[in-house]
Amino acid sequence: MSVATQHPYYPQSLELSGYAPPTQSPLTLVSVMGGALGAILACTYVAFASRRIRGRALRRPDRLAAMWFVLCAALHCVYELYYLLHFRTLVAAQDILASTWKEYAKSDSRYLAQAPLVFALEAITVTVTGPLCVAAAWGIWTQSLGVRHIAQLCASVLHLYSVALYFGTEVAAPESSCRPEALYYYGYFLAMNAPWVVVPLVLVVQSLGTITRAMGVAKKIKVL
């Protein structure tokens, strides 16, 4: 059996030297990842729901935005940082984080093939977008509208740009990096990345509206 056929990834001609399969089942990996993300969202909701600014609770849209940004910050600054640090050795690693990346790579083998584009996108996400998400969450926590909406707008635009490159390069590639089963294309590749299209679009509109209104008020005050 050739090296190219000793792994479950596509294209089948892909060579992954030193590949070691995960020791955990796909159900275990998905459950662990889902449980971790659920715990982050739950803890964030409780923290921001109990937050009071001058005796008033945060508005529901602010709490939801905070949950989004804390989730993104955790993914970008921890999970994706792990990927960057293990970029060249991930294919042989078998710890739980490496295994979750290998499970996701069934929908995009570029993560194991050491694709330069994926590394570049993840590097920007970890070093720029992640800190912006932290700043946006902090802006919501402190109700610092300037910090919140500048960080929110920048982070959301970067999310949209990254997803556009990510999807676009896969669609334009001569060979798909995704397994043919519907679970991996529609479930992993599309559904798992869709929130980084829908939510940032909503947040961009929200921030642009807030900034525009604030500039209008400032202009009126200046005229007066």
Side-chain angles (χ1 to χ4, degrees):
M1 184 178 291
S2 66
V3 173
T5 59
Q6 292 177 343
H7 59 73
Y9 305 103
Y10 273 63
Q12 292 179 315
S13 59
L14 178 66
E15 292 190 12
L16 296 175
S17 179
Y19 171 73
T23 58
Q24 308 85 357
S25 70
L27 179 60
T28 297
L29 295 173
V30 172
S31 299
V32 168
M33 197 65 183
L37 297 182
I40 292 171
L41 289 173
C43 291
T44 304
Y45 178 83
V46 171
F48 279 81
S50 62
R51 176 66 168 163
R52 296 292 183 273
I53 301 292
R54 291 185 291 275
R56 299 180 62 181
L58 298 178
R59 299 182 307 123
R60 179 180 174 82
D62 289 345
R63 296 198 301 270
L64 293 175
M67 292 170 66
W68 168 255
F69 283 119
V70 171
L71 177 67
C72 288
L75 286 171
H76 299 338
C77 298
V78 179
Y79 188 59
E80 289 164 273
L81 175 60
Y82 170 92
Y83 175 79
L84 287 183
L85 295 177
H86 298 83
F87 177 69
R88 300 204 179 276
T89 60
L90 187 67
V91 80
Q94 290 183 303
D95 59 84
I96 190 69
L97 290 180
S99 294
T100 57
W101 277 110
K102 287 179 180 180
E103 178 62 20
Y104 177 75
K106 291 176 181 177
S107 72
D108 189 351
S109 64
R110 293 178 294 179
Y111 278 93
L112 294 184
Q114 301 179 14
L117 173 71
V118 170
F119 182 84
L121 288 176
E122 292 294 350
I124 294 171
T125 299
V126 170
T127 60
V128 181
T129 313
L132 284 171
C133 290
V134 173
W138 178 252
I140 296 171
W141 180 262
T142 60
Q143 287 296 280
S144 302
L145 294 183
V147 172
R148 181 257 177 98
H149 284 288
I150 291 174
Q152 175 172 302
L153 181 60
C154 292
S156 298
V157 169
L158 282 172
H159 278 146
L160 291 170
Y161 181 69
S162 297
V163 171
L165 281 178
Y166 181 66
F167 281 149
T169 51
E170 169 62 16
V171 171
E175 289 186 290
S176 176
S177 299
C178 180
R179 288 187 59 86
E181 294 88 350
L183 169 65
Y184 301 115
Y185 185 75
Y186 293 104
Y188 285 17
F189 186 68
L190 292 182
M192 285 188 178
N193 289 289
W196 279 269
V197 176
V198 177
V199 178
L201 279 173
V202 173
L203 294 175
V204 164
V205 172
Q206 182 191 60
S207 288
L208 287 176
T210 299
I211 292 171
T212 300
R213 288 191 296 273
M215 292 179 66
V217 172
K219 184 177 181 179
K220 290 179 180 178
I221 292 175
K222 185 177 181 180
V223 171
L224 292 176

mmCIF file of all heavy atoms in Angstrom, residues 198-217:
data_model
loop_
_atom_site.group_PDB
_atom_site.id
_atom_site.type_symbol
_atom_site.label_atom_id
_atom_site.label_comp_id
_atom_site.label_asym_id
_atom_site.label_seq_id
_atom_site.Cartn_x
_atom_site.Cartn_y
_atom_site.Cartn_z
ATOM 1 N N VAL A 198 -21.961 34.933 8.851
ATOM 2 C CA VAL A 198 -23.231 35.541 9.268
ATOM 3 C C VAL A 198 -23.036 36.543 10.408
ATOM 4 O O VAL A 198 -23.467 37.705 10.317
ATOM 5 C CB VAL A 198 -24.235 34.453 9.689
ATOM 6 C CG1 VAL A 198 -25.532 35.088 10.194
ATOM 7 C CG2 VAL A 198 -24.513 33.498 8.529
ATOM 8 N N VAL A 199 -22.391 36.104 11.490
ATOM 9 C CA VAL A 199 -22.245 36.979 12.665
ATOM 10 C C VAL A 199 -21.421 38.228 12.358
ATOM 11 O O VAL A 199 -21.825 39.337 12.710
ATOM 12 C CB VAL A 199 -21.668 36.201 13.866
ATOM 13 C CG1 VAL A 199 -21.477 37.137 15.055
ATOM 14 C CG2 VAL A 199 -22.589 35.046 14.238
ATOM 15 N N PRO A 200 -20.258 38.114 11.703
ATOM 16 C CA PRO A 200 -19.512 39.330 11.388
ATOM 17 C C PRO A 200 -20.282 40.320 10.513
ATOM 18 O O PRO A 200 -20.144 41.534 10.685
ATOM 19 C CB PRO A 200 -18.272 38.801 10.663
ATOM 20 C CG PRO A 200 -18.063 37.457 11.242
ATOM 21 C CD PRO A 200 -19.450 36.908 11.421
ATOM 22 N N LEU A 201 -21.088 39.811 9.586
ATOM 23 C CA LEU A 201 -21.893 40.722 8.769
ATOM 24 C C LEU A 201 -22.843 41.542 9.643
ATOM 25 O O LEU A 201 -22.971 42.764 9.476
ATOM 26 C CB LEU A 201 -22.696 39.932 7.731
ATOM 27 C CG LEU A 201 -21.943 39.503 6.470
ATOM 28 C CD1 LEU A 201 -22.825 38.593 5.618
ATOM 29 C CD2 LEU A 201 -21.511 40.724 5.659
ATOM 30 N N VAL A 202 -23.491 40.881 10.586
ATOM 31 C CA VAL A 202 -24.407 41.574 11.504
ATOM 32 C C VAL A 202 -23.641 42.589 12.343
ATOM 33 O O VAL A 202 -24.087 43.740 12.513
ATOM 34 C CB VAL A 202 -25.129 40.565 12.415
ATOM 35 C CG1 VAL A 202 -25.945 41.294 13.479
ATOM 36 C CG2 VAL A 202 -26.029 39.645 11.594
ATOM 37 N N LEU A 203 -22.478 42.210 12.830
ATOM 38 C CA LEU A 203 -21.701 43.093 13.697
ATOM 39 C C LEU A 203 -21.110 44.270 12.932
ATOM 40 O O LEU A 203 -20.995 45.376 13.480
ATOM 41 C CB LEU A 203 -20.589 42.301 14.387
ATOM 42 C CG LEU A 203 -21.059 41.234 15.371
ATOM 43 C CD1 LEU A 203 -19.883 40.427 15.896
ATOM 44 C CD2 LEU A 203 -21.826 41.867 16.526
ATOM 45 N N VAL A 204 -20.742 44.062 11.689
ATOM 46 C CA VAL A 204 -20.248 45.175 10.863
ATOM 47 C C VAL A 204 -21.343 46.216 10.675
ATOM 48 O O VAL A 204 -21.116 47.424 10.828
ATOM 49 C CB VAL A 204 -19.755 44.660 9.487
ATOM 50 C CG1 VAL A 204 -19.621 45.819 8.500
ATOM 51 C CG2 VAL A 204 -18.412 43.967 9.633
ATOM 52 N N VAL A 205 -22.546 45.757 10.341
ATOM 53 C CA VAL A 205 -23.673 46.678 10.169
ATOM 54 C C VAL A 205 -23.947 47.423 11.472
ATOM 55 O O VAL A 205 -24.184 48.648 11.475
ATOM 56 C CB VAL A 205 -24.927 45.908 9.702
ATOM 57 C CG1 VAL A 205 -26.155 46.827 9.720
ATOM 58 C CG2 VAL A 205 -24.712 45.346 8.296
ATOM 59 N N GLN A 206 -23.917 46.701 12.583
ATOM 60 C CA GLN A 206 -24.167 47.325 13.881
ATOM 61 C C GLN A 206 -23.128 48.395 14.198
ATOM 62 O O GLN A 206 -23.470 49.522 14.602
ATOM 63 C CB GLN A 206 -24.158 46.267 14.975
ATOM 64 C CG GLN A 206 -24.461 46.819 16.366
ATOM 65 C CD GLN A 206 -24.184 45.810 17.461
ATOM 66 O OE1 GLN A 206 -23.054 45.343 17.608
ATOM 67 N NE2 GLN A 206 -25.221 45.451 18.216
ATOM 68 N N SER A 207 -21.868 48.085 14.016
ATOM 69 C CA SER A 207 -20.806 49.042 14.339
ATOM 70 C C SER A 207 -20.830 50.250 13.405
ATOM 71 O O SER A 207 -20.637 51.390 13.850
ATOM 72 C CB SER A 207 -19.440 48.360 14.273
ATOM 73 O OG SER A 207 -19.264 47.494 15.364
ATOM 74 N N LEU A 208 -21.052 50.013 12.129
ATOM 75 C CA LEU A 208 -21.127 51.129 11.188
ATOM 76 C C LEU A 208 -22.273 52.066 11.554
ATOM 77 O O LEU A 208 -22.136 53.301 11.495
ATOM 78 C CB LEU A 208 -21.290 50.616 9.759
ATOM 79 C CG LEU A 208 -20.053 49.977 9.127
ATOM 80 C CD1 LEU A 208 -20.395 49.438 7.741
ATOM 81 C CD2 LEU A 208 -18.913 50.986 9.029
ATOM 82 N N GLY A 209 -23.399 51.483 11.943
ATOM 83 C CA GLY A 209 -24.537 52.308 12.348
ATOM 84 C C GLY A 209 -24.236 53.128 13.591
ATOM 85 O O GLY A 209 -24.548 54.318 13.662
ATOM 86 N N THR A 210 -23.610 52.485 14.587
ATOM 87 C CA THR A 210 -23.280 53.179 15.833
ATOM 88 C C THR A 210 -22.263 54.296 15.593
ATOM 89 O O THR A 210 -22.411 55.414 16.102
ATOM 90 C CB THR A 210 -22.703 52.188 16.866
ATOM 91 O OG1 THR A 210 -23.687 51.191 17.140
ATOM 92 C CG2 THR A 210 -22.333 52.900 18.154
ATOM 93 N N ILE A 211 -21.231 53.995 14.800
ATOM 94 C CA ILE A 211 -20.204 54.999 14.516
ATOM 95 C C ILE A 211 -20.790 56.162 13.716
ATOM 96 O O ILE A 211 -20.478 57.335 13.977
ATOM 97 C CB ILE A 211 -19.024 54.349 13.765
ATOM 98 C CG1 ILE A 211 -18.294 53.368 14.695
ATOM 99 C CG2 ILE A 211 -18.061 55.410 13.240
ATOM 100 C CD1 ILE A 211 -17.253 52.511 13.991
ATOM 101 N N THR A 212 -21.647 55.855 12.751
ATOM 102 C CA THR A 212 -22.268 56.908 11.942
ATOM 103 C C THR A 212 -23.139 57.822 12.791
ATOM 104 O O THR A 212 -23.086 59.053 12.662
ATOM 105 C CB THR A 212 -23.119 56.281 10.816
ATOM 106 O OG1 THR A 212 -22.274 55.486 9.984
ATOM 107 C CG2 THR A 212 -23.789 57.361 9.975
ATOM 108 N N ARG A 213 -23.932 57.221 13.679
ATOM 109 C CA ARG A 213 -24.778 58.029 14.553
ATOM 110 C C ARG A 213 -23.937 58.886 15.500
ATOM 111 O O ARG A 213 -24.248 60.064 15.746
ATOM 112 C CB ARG A 213 -25.722 57.130 15.357
ATOM 113 C CG ARG A 213 -26.840 56.522 14.523
ATOM 114 C CD ARG A 213 -27.895 55.874 15.402
ATOM 115 N NE ARG A 213 -27.349 54.751 16.158
ATOM 116 C CZ ARG A 213 -27.292 53.505 15.705
ATOM 117 N NH1 ARG A 213 -27.730 53.221 14.481
ATOM 118 N NH2 ARG A 213 -26.810 52.533 16.460
ATOM 119 N N ALA A 214 -22.854 58.310 16.031
ATOM 120 C CA ALA A 214 -21.987 59.062 16.944
ATOM 121 C C ALA A 214 -21.329 60.234 16.232
ATOM 122 O O ALA A 214 -21.208 61.338 16.794
ATOM 123 C CB ALA A 214 -20.921 58.132 17.524
ATOM 124 N N MET A 215 -20.917 60.033 14.998
ATOM 125 C CA MET A 215 -20.307 61.123 14.235
ATOM 126 C C MET A 215 -21.328 62.214 13.922
ATOM 127 O O MET A 215 -21.002 63.409 13.933
ATOM 128 C CB MET A 215 -19.703 60.577 12.938
ATOM 129 C CG MET A 215 -18.495 59.681 13.155
ATOM 130 S SD MET A 215 -17.813 59.006 11.619
ATOM 131 C CE MET A 215 -17.211 60.517 10.848
ATOM 132 N N GLY A 216 -22.576 61.795 13.676
ATOM 133 C CA GLY A 216 -23.633 62.774 13.434
ATOM 134 C C GLY A 216 -23.894 63.642 14.663
ATOM 135 O O GLY A 216 -24.045 64.864 14.565
ATOM 136 N N VAL A 217 -23.937 62.989 15.831
ATOM 137 C CA VAL A 217 -24.132 63.725 17.088
ATOM 138 C C VAL A 217 -22.972 64.672 17.343
ATOM 139 O O VAL A 217 -23.160 65.841 17.722
ATOM 140 C CB VAL A 217 -24.304 62.750 18.260
ATOM 141 C CG1 VAL A 217 -24.296 63.507 19.578
ATOM 142 C CG2 VAL A 217 -25.599 61.952 18.109
#
